[in-house]
Amino acid sequence: MRKKVTKAIFPVAGLGTRFLPATKSVPKEIMTLVDRPLVQYAIDEARAAGIKEFIFVTSRGKSALEDYFDHSPILEQELRKKGKDDLLEILKDTYMDSGAIAYIRQHQALGLGHAVWCARRLIANEPFAVILPDDVIAAEKPCLQQMVEAYEETGGNMVAAMEVAPEKASSYGVLDVKEDMGKIVSVKGMVEKPAAGEAPSNLAVIGRYILSPSVMKNLNKMKKGAGGEIQLTDAIAQDIEKEQPVYGYRFKGQRFDCGSKSGFLQATVAFALAREDLRDDMMAFVNQVALNASAAE
Ligand code: UTP
């Protein structure tokens, strides 16, 4: 029987320089889409996929993350006194069972692969998921849940894959496809941030992975890749050489790159429009802005 995926790593040790000065004191993952921080969307998605152990790889200045998942007795007492049961209910999503969440420090930002490797002792010899909270995916069935269901059939390693325009490929890890089976593709290689015109396909890897423990072993080699960083894609690609299968999964849903300003703003508008309590106001505002812009042209 295939081992269930119950552990997830959330690498959140990056500096978030694209959002300076905000990220000088606020971790990128605490920035909010409407009223929930990015990290809450990531945790909800992991829970829906059956994850029971949540491992955060953090760095200096990220303590707001730890506080976010802690109980807040004074706030709760106040809300209870005022009979604000609806707000108390909302807070429930932010609580973690004791021992279900762990924080590990990445002392130097040496790359995503290195951040994942920092969690090796907690992963031991089990398959694990990796979720990048700055990739937010709006989907009827949460993306990682779709992947876990597919992984139950395939095993091996699985990465979320998305079609991108050729001129965008050099910002991503790109799949070299062996066989395209529709929803799932099998992969014969992966190239991190290919040079313009050298991408092996238009299928880019985005921030959801289900990986076998052998990827951790590959990361032990600490091999530097694109940008001088230890790349997760390279360690996954090394598994192919060891005859361990790697699959790309074309998920159903819309992905927002909330690590970029434009992606974050698009997600803010999309999530606000999807909310019943905000839709009418937002729609009127967005239409007005569009009208004004076209009148000005
Ligand atoms: P990014 O490339 O978005 O880097 O990392 P960043 O530092 O977060 O943001 P910018 O580019 O400076 O604005 C992708 C993911 O990998 C994590 C980040 O926290 C983010 O979730 N990461 C990256 C680490 O945890 N450690 C690293 O050394 C590098």
Side-chain angles (χ1 to χ4, degrees):
M1 252 261 299
R2 218 180 294 293
K3 255 191 171 164
K4 270 200 167 348
V5 184
T6 59
K7 297 180 178 179
I9 302 175
F10 301 79
V12 292
L15 294 174
T17 53
R18 282 171 287 173
F19 282 96
L20 280 170
T23 42
K24 185 176 169 219
S25 64
V26 181
K28 177 169 66 175
E29 302 73 25
I30 289 292
M31 297 197 331
T32 50
L33 290 180
V34 187
D35 50 13
R36 290 142 51 87
L38 294 183
V39 72
Q40 183 71 55
Y41 292 93
I43 287 287
D44 290 351
E45 187 178 328
R47 281 182 171 141
I51 299 297
K52 304 281 183 249
E53 288 180 52
F54 306 82
I55 304 160
F56 280 78
V57 181
T58 68
S59 57
R60 185 173 290 274
K62 301 268 179 170
S63 49
L65 271 170
E66 297 192 33
D67 289 342
Y68 179 78
F69 289 114
D70 205 350
H71 283 250
S72 178
I74 295 171
L75 172 64
E76 286 159 39
Q77 202 181 350
E78 256 334 279
L79 294 176
R80 213 164 287 124
K81 235 172 31 196
K82 291 184 176 150
K84 303 259 183 200
D85 293 345
D86 50 338
L87 296 181
L88 283 164
E89 196 57 37
I90 285 174
L91 284 183
K92 276 192 186 153
D93 284 346
T94 68
Y95 301 147
M96 286 284 178
D97 291 340
S98 296
I101 189 162
Y103 301 93
I104 289 181
R105 280 240 174 150
Q106 184 191 25
H107 297 109
Q108 257 184 303
L110 297 178
L112 176 60
H114 180 262
V116 167
W117 176 81
C118 288
R120 66 200 177 281
R121 293 208 166 81
L122 293 178
I123 294 300
N125 203 28
E126 289 185 39
F128 59 99
V130 176
I131 296 187
L132 305 190
D134 43 13
D135 272 335
V136 175
I137 301 166
E140 218 161 278
K141 185 184 278 189
C143 178
L144 191 66
Q145 189 183 347
Q146 298 175 37
M147 289 173 70
V148 163
E149 285 172 12
Y151 169 84
E152 276 162 11
E153 305 290 318
T154 62
N157 296 291
M158 183 172 281
V159 300
M162 184 182 91
E163 254 99 30
V164 294
E167 68 275 12
K168 295 269 167 71
S170 53
S171 311
Y172 295 90
V174 178
L175 301 181
D176 192 354
V177 175
K178 184 161 85 181
E179 193 185 350
D180 193 332
M181 297 162 278
K183 206 165 238 179
I184 296 179
V185 302
S186 68
V187 171
K188 61 174 182 243
M190 293 165 86
V191 187
E192 184 62 38
K193 302 196 172 58
E198 285 179 19
S201 77
N202 65 347
L203 268 185
V205 178
I206 62 117
R208 303 288 184 276
Y209 310 77
I210 298 175
L211 301 175
S212 70
S214 62
V215 172
M216 281 293 186
K217 295 205 179 81
N218 301 341
L219 284 168
N220 278 335
K221 294 181 201 141
M222 294 288 147
K223 220 174 124 216
K224 285 190 182 157
E229 295 194 344
I230 297 164
Q231 298 288 357
L232 183 59
T233 5
D234 293 344
I236 301 170
Q238 280 168 34
D239 252 20
I240 303 170
E241 289 154 29
K242 294 184 190 167
E243 314 271 308
Q244 287 264 28
V246 176
Y247 301 98
Y249 182 80
R250 286 192 177 97
F251 59 95
K252 252 198 174 154
Q254 188 176 6
R255 174 258 190 181
F256 295 94
D257 175 11
C258 290
S260 77
K261 281 177 230 181
S262 141
F264 189 89
L265 293 170
Q266 286 169 33
T268 301
V269 175
F271 278 71
L273 287 172
R275 281 267 296 255
E276 231 168 82
D277 54 336
L278 299 171
R279 187 179 301 137
D280 294 348
D281 271 2
M282 273 303 285
M283 192 63 99
F285 174 71
V286 169
N287 285 337
Q288 193 58 50
V289 170
L291 267 178
N292 291 348
S294 60
E297 262 175 21

